Every structure is written in structure tokens, then in C-alpha cells.
Amino acid sequence: MTNSMTLPAISSYDSLDQYMRAIKSFPVLSAEEEYQLATSLKKENDLEAAKKLVVSHLRLVASIARNYSGYGLPQSDLIQEGNIGLMKAVRRFDPERGVRLVSFAMHWIKAEIHEYIVRNWRLVKVATTKAQRKLFFNLRSMKSGKSASLQSEEVAHIARELNVKPEDVLEMESRMSGHEISLEGNADDETEDVFAPISYLQATQAEPSEILEEQEVEHLHTAGLSTALAKLDDRSRRIVEARWLQEDSSATLHDLAEEFGVSAERIRQIEQKAMKQMKGFLTPA
């Protein structure tokens, strides 16, 4: 797809500011426009449709890339890598899933940026526990000053916010002040709790896939859920519960296909129909 499309490249502009102004000129697509373009790409391999989907989301990439400016890498390179992730997302996007491209693409954009940082940033390991990971990826943003030493009140506040011990805060502050950190962790570490910081580059919020899942579950747990589920037939109710309402892990289409003796595509169709019915049940008349 990328070889057949001409997209705005940062190198084509005299400055990053010019590039930012240029991408702001591309229109934001409505849900209907996005669906039509994505359907055209999926069914007809329409590269012009793919281009429109990509350029309409270049601002999203630039916005995400800004969150990684603290790692000392060129902003233009971060954006360029994020654009690669965006193009991968557009190719894999399924408009029938009922999720907007902006939500789906965030994961792919971040994944490419993470990979770029791994390839270009060499650090050494400092954290081995979950508490230390949380501290490492939040301490810098929670400090009142980048270089100032932490005061006792600030230590106590950070400890309360992150649910860790004050001495853990002080230890991590000391480590971060005197050592570099390994983004990829130690491949020779045989312990189960291996530290791989690249998975936590942005600790201020969950990954997009987790956010989407939480939003879906929260929506389904609104008032009237039990009534809405009760109105479904047994098979549809089982599929919805297995796919969306299990807290530990959701069943895959193939798992349910094997359970009911039908194809995975048939399970997907039943799921979509059931979800649509439930939205109708849950929407006030």
C-alpha cells in the first residue's frame, strides 16, 4: 500500500512547523465517510480511499508523538515512525467492527514509536518489581522540578498517589539520578517478573485496546443490562457474555465456533446482531 501512495513526508517540508500546518489542512472524516472509505479499501483494495483515511489521521500521529518528546529523539522521526503505524492500522482496519479508526489506530501508532525508541535508545536496567515500574514511568512527570531533589512532602504525596512506600520513591529517585535504564529489560533474567519498560513507555493511561474493552464493558453494565440480556436467545446471550462480560479473559470467535459447531464468521454475525439488539433494548424510547 505504501509504495503506491504519495503521502505528505516531513522531509518534503523546510521545517516541522510547516509540516504541522500542512496536515491540519486535511479534513476530518465523518463516521459515514470513514466507513465508506474503509469498506472500499477492504473490498476493492482502493488505494485512494486508503490515502484519504491516512491523511485525515496524520494529526493524531503528531499528537501521540509529542508524548514521547522526553526521550531525546527527533520529533520528526517519531512522527514518521508513527505514520508507518497508521498505515498498518488502515490496512488492518475492519469497518464492520463498529469502532472508529482513531481508536483502532492508536495501538499501531504507539507500537511503531515504541519499536523506534527501542532501536535507538540504549539504557541499563533499574526496576524489577511492579512498584518500581510504576515509579519509573510516573516519577518524572510527578516531580515539581526536573532536576530538583524531592522534598519530604513531595515524597509523601507521590507515595500516596502511586500506593507505594516513601522509601521506594526515594530509592527510585536515587537510581534515576545516577543510572540509565534498559527499555528492553534483561533477556538473561530467568525470573518470572522480568522488567521490560518498552511495554510501559506511557504509564499515564491504558493501551487503546484496554480502553476500548473497558468502555464496552462499562456500557454493557449500565441500567437494564439484565433485562436486555434476558431478551436475547440462549445462544446470543452466551456469545455476548463470553465475548464481553468475562472479567478474566474473553472467548475468541473460534472458541465459540467450536462450542456451537458453526463457523467463526457465523459467530461474528450472531454477535453483531445481538449487540445491535441490546443497544436497542438499552436505549430509552
Side-chain angles (χ1 to χ4, degrees):
M1 180 174 71
T2 56
N3 292 334
S4 302
M5 294 197 318
T6 302
L7 298 173
I10 299 179
S11 58
S12 302
Y13 297 86
D14 294 334
S15 68
L16 182 59
D17 288 339
Q18 285 189 2
Y19 173 80
M20 296 300 294
R21 287 194 294 271
I23 64 177
K24 287 180 180 179
S25 66
F26 296 111
V28 176
L29 300 175
S30 66
E32 182 178 357
E33 290 172 330
E34 180 178 291
Y35 178 85
Q36 292 175 346
L37 290 170
T39 300
S40 180
L41 171 61
K42 187 176 181 62
K43 293 183 177 180
E44 304 172 15
N45 196 33
D46 185 346
L47 295 184
E48 186 60 31
K51 178 179 179 180
K52 290 179 180 178
L53 288 169
V54 170
V55 298
S56 67
H57 288 79
L58 291 177
R59 278 171 287 189
L60 171 65
V61 176
S63 176
I64 292 175
R66 280 198 296 269
N67 295 326
Y68 297 91
S69 59
Y71 293 92
L73 297 170
Q75 190 70 15
S76 58
D77 289 350
L78 293 173
I79 293 174
Q80 199 73 357
E81 294 298 319
N83 287 345
I84 294 175
L86 172 60
M87 286 186 280
K88 290 182 178 180
V90 166
R91 173 55 75 185
R92 292 166 174 79
F93 181 58
D94 183 358
E96 300 298 334
R97 295 293 295 176
V99 176
R100 291 297 301 271
L101 177 58
V102 63
S103 299
F104 180 79
M106 287 176 69
H107 169 75
W108 293 94
I109 294 167
K110 287 185 177 182
E112 288 298 320
I113 294 176
H114 287 187
E115 178 64 23
Y116 173 74
I117 293 174
V118 166
R119 293 196 308 266
N120 291 276
W121 216 37
R122 298 178 60 189
L123 303 163
V124 297
K125 171 172 147 181
V126 298
T128 56
T129 69
K130 291 181 180 179
Q132 289 172 335
R133 297 174 195 175
K134 185 187 296 185
L135 276 169
F136 173 69
F137 289 102
N138 287 277
L139 187 56
R140 182 175 59 182
S141 62
M142 294 181 72
K143 289 177 61 177
S144 57
K146 292 185 178 180
S147 58
S149 299
L150 290 172
Q151 301 299 314
S152 58
E153 297 84 359
E154 195 171 10
V155 170
H157 170 71
I158 294 174
R160 285 195 303 271
E161 290 294 315
L162 299 180
N163 193 29
V164 297
K165 298 177 182 179
E167 51 265 36
D168 292 334
V169 176
L170 291 172
E171 180 182 359
M172 182 56 65
E173 166 66 7
S174 175
R175 290 185 177 192
M176 292 179 69
S177 299
H179 299 281
E180 292 183 325
I181 296 120
S182 175
L183 286 176
E184 297 179 275
N186 188 351
D188 298 326
D189 196 334
E190 297 181 355
T191 62
E192 293 184 2
D193 195 16
V194 176
F195 177 53
I198 192 61
S199 301
Y200 306 90
L201 277 174
Q202 283 186 293
T204 56
Q205 63 181 29
E207 283 296 312
S209 57
E210 295 173 358
I211 294 173
L212 285 174
E213 182 177 354
E214 290 172 0
Q215 289 174 344
E216 291 286 354
V217 172
E218 182 179 357
H219 172 69
L220 288 173
H221 277 89
T222 56
L225 173 61
S226 297
T227 302
L229 282 170
K231 292 181 179 180
L232 297 175
D233 61 80
D234 292 342
R235 183 170 63 172
S236 297
R237 182 166 60 253
R238 162 61 183 155
I239 290 172
V240 170
E241 290 175 341
R243 291 279 287 161
W244 296 103
L245 300 179
Q246 291 185 169
E247 294 186 1
D248 49 355
S249 61
S250 59
T252 66
L253 294 175
H254 291 284
D255 291 337
L256 292 167
E258 184 175 351
E259 177 179 337
F260 289 104
V262 297
S263 67
E265 174 61 21
R266 179 57 182 155
I267 294 296
R268 186 187 69 81
Q269 293 172 355
I270 296 173
E271 176 190 12
Q272 286 187 333
K273 181 180 179 180
M275 294 294 284
K276 187 176 297 184
Q277 289 177 327
M278 288 190 66
K279 287 181 180 179
F281 298 148
L282 292 169
T283 302

